[in-house]
Amino acid sequence: MARAYIFPGQGSQAVGMGKDLAAAYAVARTVFDEVDEALHQKLSTLMFEGPEAELTLTANAQPALMATSLAVVRVLEAETGLDLSKDAAFVAGHSLGEYSALAAAGAFSISDAARLLRLRGEAMQKAVPPGQGAMAALLGIDYETGVALAAEAQKEAGYGAVCAIANDNGGGQVVASGTKAAVEQAIAIAKTKGVRRAILLPVSAPFHSVLMQPAAEAMAEALAAVEIKPPKISLVANVTATPVKDPAEIRKLLVAQVTATVRWRESMMFMAAQGVTLFVELGAGKVLTGLVKRIVENANGIGVAVPAEVDAYKAIL
């Protein structure tokens, strides 16, 4: 049974994430200590105790999610003998989850991944002034229809408006991103086209749109200064939905990813077409696990984030 290991993105964070792992496993504590040291911040305390509003800030949520995912990886390595180079057909991550996937596969050190994600979160937040951008979930719609709807909304919103599909999450779920007026126009249009639900998301910036270009430029500079090793296992990239192992190409794709659509549905379908039947989500939440069967009919998904789920993972080996 071929497996892919997948890593969650922003929105999966919650106060208490990683706390039980840290209490149960020394290797998990080591990961959290390494991230705290890299960031010169007790991020682990914020993760374990809150406050939620501070954890949700993009600059905190991104490295926190990576830290939790890598703590799970280290625990599985120690407790089950997990070796991604032998046990995984692919790794993939949703948006910031690509950094988690790459760190898990040995392309980045955990410290470098933490520092890059802190910078990424800060740069994405600064790219657009508060209140000028927005994102909306459109439910019950396929990607092609979403693209057409976003283009119509951008046109109707007028000069300077931006509206594009940021995430193709699969299962009839796409996310629009852009200037606030254009995204609100997309919601209005969606209601006339039979979209099941269209709602503004509680996010602080219009991620994965051209409005993030200043953040892409900041990441290009930062990534140029960081060593990227060939990953032990191919990453299925958000931007292309195809596998990549070359460090130069990975660097290029991570820059492009800031403004490009997260092609998650296509990524999952690609992995399934290569024979993957089990998708293991490593880290906080169960968002990606929930999408598995909605995208790939005969596949299974499991999530590992707490000690009991480590034991459940052992049981399927």
Side-chain angles (χ1 to χ4, degrees):
M1 177 169 54
R3 298 176 186 177
Y5 291 80
I6 55 179
F7 296 81
Q10 201 160 338
S12 291
Q13 71 277 353
V15 172
M17 58 195 270
K19 187 174 183 178
D20 291 345
L21 283 177
Y25 304 105
V27 289
R29 293 194 294 275
T30 299
V31 171
F32 296 130
D33 288 345
E34 184 175 347
V35 171
D36 287 351
E37 185 175 344
L39 298 180
H40 307 291
Q41 174 197 7
K42 288 293 287 183
L43 184 65
S44 58
T45 301
L46 178 61
M47 292 162 60
F48 301 164
E49 301 174 10
E52 183 178 6
E54 192 173 342
L55 177 61
T56 302
L57 293 174
T58 301
N60 289 326
Q62 294 199 21
L65 285 160
M66 183 279 299
T68 303
S69 289
L70 267 293
V72 174
V73 172
R74 295 293 180 260
V75 168
L76 292 183
E77 289 171 345
E79 297 293 314
T80 74
L82 173 68
D83 181 346
L84 288 177
S85 65
K86 298 176 181 177
D87 299 333
F90 303 99
V91 293
H94 194 284
S95 191
L96 80 89
E98 285 203 322
Y99 288 79
S100 307
L102 287 164
F108 284 132
S109 70
I110 291 175
S111 294
D112 281 344
R115 286 188 286 263
L116 286 166
L117 286 170
R118 167 57 52 80
L119 174 66
R120 185 177 183 269
E122 290 174 344
M124 293 173 93
Q125 188 62 64
K126 290 176 186 173
V128 178
Q132 292 191 16
M135 298 180 76
L138 308 176
L139 308 180
I141 186 173
D142 62 28
Y143 173 67
E144 290 75 16
T145 305
V147 169
L149 191 155
E152 183 180 345
Q154 178 171 303
K155 182 178 179 181
E156 290 193 12
Y159 179 76
V162 170
C163 189
I165 298 304
N167 301 345
D168 177 15
N169 287 333
Q173 180 191 119
V174 299
V175 177
S177 181
T179 48
K180 191 167 188 288
V183 172
E184 289 174 341
Q185 186 68 41
I187 291 173
I189 293 170
K191 290 175 181 176
T192 71
K193 294 187 180 290
V195 173
R196 190 170 76 246
R197 198 170 175 211
I199 50 169
L200 278 174
L201 295 175
V203 297
S204 53
F207 305 130
H208 298 289
S209 74
V210 295
L211 298 172
M212 290 288 108
Q213 184 57 34
E217 292 165 6
M219 291 312 298
E221 183 177 348
L223 285 159
V226 171
E227 180 185 14
I228 303 178
K229 298 176 182 177
K232 293 181 287 186
I233 189 71
S234 292
L235 171 83
V236 178
N238 286 180
V239 174
T240 61
T242 56
V244 59
K245 287 188 83 171
D246 176 62
E249 186 66 13
I250 288 169
R251 186 176 278 109
K252 176 182 167 185
L253 290 171
L254 287 174
V255 174
Q257 182 229 58
V258 178
T259 57
T261 302
V262 175
R263 295 168 61 182
W264 191 251
R265 174 183 58 86
E266 292 172 88
S267 296
M268 293 287 287
M269 291 176 66
F270 170 82
M271 289 185 277
Q274 305 308 306
V276 172
T277 55
L278 178 64
F279 294 87
V280 184
E281 182 175 8
L282 303 180
K286 296 289 182 290
V287 172
L288 302 182
T289 303
L291 289 172
V292 169
K293 280 198 175 294
R294 292 163 61 185
I295 299 172
V296 184
E297 188 176 342
N298 295 316
N300 290 309
I302 63 169
V304 184
V306 296
E309 290 166 350
V310 173
D311 293 337
Y313 177 84
K314 288 180 185 178
I316 67 168
L317 292 178

